[in-house]
């Protein structure tokens, strides 16, 4: 089979490494494009990550149904984590690696690499393009959470009222 390049995305987040990491993991449902992609029956609920090596990555429906999509393979907060990802039910497994690189006290570079596409059957390779676009859209939604975050910003000394 012909090698398939991993899907790669990177973005800058104006937040601390710790906040960026934990927002990514603990608030997945706030930015993950679950609408129309629910892997459980009924109304979509949450996308969750169990925070340890071997922990599940899964969707939980509002009616209590759950569907595993993968498992955590690396857990190194706040700098990195990785998980397996089932592209389609019963399909071969791919891997998603995330790095959270601290560039400053309130600046983090997030690098995502989704690999393993070369192991999928030819019938599933059509998912590559949809996942590439899906990751781009999802990470843009993730970045937007920090742009619209209502937390008050600390004023610089020069900005204080006189």
């Amino acid at each position: 089979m012909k090698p398939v390049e991993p899907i790669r995305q990177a973005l800058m987040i104006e937040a601390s490494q710790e906040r960026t990491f934990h927002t990514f993991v603990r608030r997945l449902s706030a930015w993950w494009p679950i609408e129309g992609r629910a892997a459980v029956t009924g109304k979509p609920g949450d996308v969750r990550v169990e925070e340890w090596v071997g922990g599940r990555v899964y969707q939980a429906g509002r009616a209590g149904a759950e569907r595993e999509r993968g498992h955590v393979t690396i857990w190194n907060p706040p700098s990195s984590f990785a998980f397996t990802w089932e592209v389609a039910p019963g399909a071969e497994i791919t891997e998603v690696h995330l790095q959270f690189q601290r560039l400053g006290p309130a600046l983090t570079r997030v690098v995502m690499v989704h690999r393993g596409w070369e192991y999928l059957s030819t019938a599933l390779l059509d998912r590559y393009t949809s996942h590439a676009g899906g990751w781009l859209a999802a990470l843009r939604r993730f970045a937007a959470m920090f742009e619209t975050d209502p937390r008050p910003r600390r004023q610089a000394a020069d900005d204080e009222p006189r």
Side-chain angles (χ1 to χ4, degrees), residues 26-149:
R26 295 178 180 160
R27 295 191 60 203
L28 269 166
S29 296
W31 60 269
W32 191 270
I34 196 169
E35 312 84 22
R37 292 181 175 91
V40 293
T41 56
K43 292 184 178 183
D46 290 327
V47 179
R48 299 180 182 157
V49 174
E50 294 177 337
E51 299 180 15
W52 60 83
V53 171
R56 299 178 302 152
V57 178
Y58 65 101
Q59 284 183 259
R62 291 188 184 148
E66 293 180 352
R67 168 101 175 8
E68 283 186 22
R69 298 300 303 260
H71 290 90
V72 175
T73 57
I74 296 171
W75 185 253
N76 189 23
S79 60
S80 64
F81 85 103
F83 55 94
T84 58
W85 185 252
E86 186 182 52
V87 173
E92 297 88 346
I93 301 296
T94 58
E95 291 183 301
V96 178
H97 292 256
L98 290 131
Q99 291 184 330
F100 299 81
Q101 301 167 339
R102 183 182 189 275
L103 301 179
L107 186 62
T108 304
R109 182 172 190 251
V110 179
V111 178
M112 184 283 309
V113 179
H114 189 166
R115 64 182 64 154
W117 296 94
E118 64 273 17
Y119 303 115
L120 296 182
S121 65
T122 305
L124 287 174
L125 278 178
D126 65 330
R127 306 259 177 149
Y128 178 88
T129 303
S130 67
H131 273 72
W135 272 116
L136 180 60
L139 291 173
R140 284 181 177 160
R141 285 175 63 159
F142 174 67
M145 289 182 63
F146 295 89
E147 296 167 5
T148 59
D149 193 337

Side-chain angles (χ1 to χ4, degrees), residues 7-26:
I7 297 170
R8 298 176 194 277
Q9 299 288 342
L11 66 152
M12 303 295 273
I13 302 292
E14 290 189 28
S16 71
Q17 180 188 37
E18 293 81 7
R19 182 171 167 227
T20 302
F21 181 92
H22 291 298
T23 299
F24 190 100
V25 172
R26 295 178 180 160

